[in-house]
Amino acid sequence: MGNTKPNILLIYTGGTIGMVKDFKTGALRAFDFKNLLKRIPELNLLDCNIDTVSFKEPIDSSNMNPKYWIQIAELIEKNYGNNDGFVVLHGSDTMSYTASALSFMLENLAKPVVFTGSQLPIGDLRTDAKENLITAVQVASLQYRKKPAIKEVCLYFEYKLYRANRTTKINAEHFEAFASLNYPDLAESGVHLKVNKEYLFKPNLKKKLVVHKNLDKNIALIKLFPGISETVLQSVFNTPNLKGVILETYGAGNCTTETWFINLLKTAIKKGIHIINVTQCSGGSVIMGHYETSNQLKKIGVISGKDITTEAAIPKLMYLLGENISGKAFKISYETDLRGEIS
Ligand code: ASP
């Protein structure tokens, strides 16, 4: 009988998990991948075959950008046929953005892509890296009837598996660094790995993987605050080639009703700039028209982000702009649940 263990590809992009302290400055910087693997001999005990590939120069995820998202997508595309699952090691700072981006880029994904990292480097005595990495590989290897159990991009951190495009980094110190406030956990790791099957994404298995690499970066993110300046906003909306704006509003999608503000948005929409309403709250949803302070937005054609996270709203906007969809269809597509990112 041949080897029937699942094949897992481990992709190392950088992050604290593989960092070491710089002798002179004491600051943490990315280290090489081989060192990381040496520190976790337990990986050899797992019931799967692990292959590894590393970014040539691992990065702190604060330097992450769509150019690297495409690199990760291409690694998965190239190795899709020969592997049953993928684990991406990534810094936690921008992990939710990258993992959300990959969820949009990998259409009809039928295998697990599990992002993980750690708050402490692998060499640290109290590291959270080992548990995160080992369980992430286990999750990626999980099969039901010889087929991958999980068929979506997810994020594993501190005993919990989340749908990636629902996550937000909520803490810079706690091992429990992420939360998914608008969607239940996909799995929890205790004595047993308890998978909440009813919440898993169910892709159409008849369709083939399509990898989208055309991401349009001509977008802006504006977080409203009381006293926001008209001049500043005017300059943002007058940015050459601007195609889309994520507007982080208050509560259920509310904003100031001052005439200058509404007129500014109206003019931008007339120019063909897409404006998406996303709430500043970590949990809950935009409901335009619920209050008088969001009625105007609805009337002038602002798109509802519903309960999407900002981390998912940004790559969704880049992805849909890259698809060159025309005005009305763009609004419909953005308000549609594409990868389980909205309820
Ligand atoms: N600054 C690090 C990064 O995001 C933090 C981490 O890995 O947790 O790369």
Side-chain angles (χ1 to χ4, degrees):
M1 269 208 0
N3 181 353
T4 53
K5 287 181 184 177
N7 295 328
I8 305 300
L9 183 67
L10 189 57
I11 302 170
Y12 177 57
T13 70
T16 298
I17 194 162
M19 287 187 182
V20 286
K21 261 203 184 135
D22 190 283
F23 258 147
K24 284 184 196 151
T25 63
L28 287 170
R29 60 172 167 78
F31 197 46
D32 71 283
F33 190 47
K34 284 195 193 97
N35 178 62
L36 178 91
L37 290 181
K38 252 195 275 164
R39 309 257 184 174
I40 320 187
E42 293 92 334
L43 284 176
N44 298 320
L45 303 175
L46 291 172
D47 209 16
C48 58
N49 307 307
I50 303 176
D51 220 341
T52 57
V53 53
S54 169
F55 270 17
K56 247 194 201 133
E57 289 185 16
I59 56 165
D60 183 300
S61 79
S62 309
N63 282 319
M64 191 41 77
N65 71 48
K67 176 181 88 185
Y68 293 117
W69 295 347
I70 294 169
Q71 264 189 45
I72 301 170
E74 284 178 340
L75 278 173
I76 293 171
E77 182 179 32
K78 199 172 122 205
N79 295 285
Y80 195 71
N82 301 329
N83 285 279
D84 301 286
F86 301 84
V87 173
V88 183
L89 296 178
H90 191 289
S92 64
D93 287 348
T94 61
M95 193 188 293
S96 293
Y97 291 90
T98 304
S100 299
L102 265 293
S103 78
F104 296 112
M105 295 167 79
L106 304 173
E107 190 178 359
N108 307 323
L109 180 72
K111 298 182 180 183
V113 174
V114 187
F115 277 74
T116 196
S118 65
Q119 292 282 53
L120 286 175
I122 196 87
D124 196 289
L125 256 190
R126 294 175 49 253
T127 191
D128 52 332
K130 279 196 184 188
E131 200 288 319
N132 284 349
L133 175 52
I134 289 167
T135 310
V137 173
Q138 273 186 328
V139 165
S141 322
L142 207 62
Q143 301 208 328
Y144 299 141
R145 294 189 194 155
K146 303 215 161 149
K147 291 267 182 284
I150 287 149
K151 306 174 188 75
E152 60 180 299
V153 182
C154 34
L155 189 155
Y156 182 80
F157 224 87
E158 190 64 3
Y159 302 108
K160 282 190 181 152
L161 182 74
Y162 310 100
R163 172 164 301 155
N165 57 30
R166 293 295 195 142
T167 61
T168 304
K169 184 170 179 184
I170 48 148
N171 203 300
E173 292 174 7
H174 291 174
F175 286 147
E176 192 168 347
F178 290 89
S180 164
L181 286 150
N182 284 334
Y183 199 75
D185 306 336
L186 301 182
E188 208 172 322
S189 162
V191 173
H192 304 287
L193 187 64
K194 186 178 169 285
V195 180
N196 298 319
K197 286 188 191 169
E198 68 273 35
Y199 299 128
L200 298 178
F201 191 75
K202 291 164 193 78
N204 182 342
L205 296 175
K206 287 188 190 128
K207 292 190 173 171
K208 275 202 162 158
L209 178 76
V210 182
V211 183
H212 300 273
K213 300 175 198 171
N214 205 7
L215 303 171
D216 195 326
K217 289 196 293 180
N218 289 299
I219 67 166
L221 168 65
I222 298 170
K223 180 170 186 160
L224 293 188
F225 57 90
I228 195 163
S229 140
E230 179 176 358
T231 327
V232 171
L233 283 193
Q234 263 169 355
S235 78
V236 175
F237 280 106
N238 285 330
T239 307
N241 216 18
L242 183 72
K243 299 204 185 115
V245 172
I246 310 275
L247 198 63
E248 267 199 11
T249 56
Y250 311 122
N254 308 316
C255 65
T256 172
T257 50
E258 282 177 90
T259 318
W260 68 264
F261 180 73
I262 300 296
N263 283 345
L264 199 68
L265 301 187
K266 225 195 250 175
T267 313
I269 292 172
K270 273 204 190 118
K271 278 201 289 187
I273 297 171
H274 302 289
I275 301 180
I276 327 290
N277 187 354
V278 171
T279 175
Q280 293 179 10
C281 297
S282 323
S285 181
V286 161
I287 313 171
M288 286 200 285
H290 190 53
Y291 287 90
E292 213 174 44
T293 43
S294 66
N295 237 342
Q296 290 283 345
L297 299 183
K298 194 173 176 181
K299 275 197 197 134
I300 64 173
V302 168
I303 298 169
S304 176
K306 303 186 183 177
D307 63 345
I308 199 167
T309 60
T310 299
E311 290 89 334
I314 288 172
K316 184 173 184 177
L317 183 54
M318 289 183 181
Y319 157 61
L320 286 177
L321 285 172
E323 295 293 287
N324 283 319
I325 307 168
S326 67
K328 251 196 185 159
F330 188 95
K331 185 173 189 295
I332 296 170
S333 298
Y334 202 98
E335 290 180 347
T336 302
D337 173 24
L338 302 178
R339 311 280 192 270
E341 76 281 7
I342 52 178
S343 304

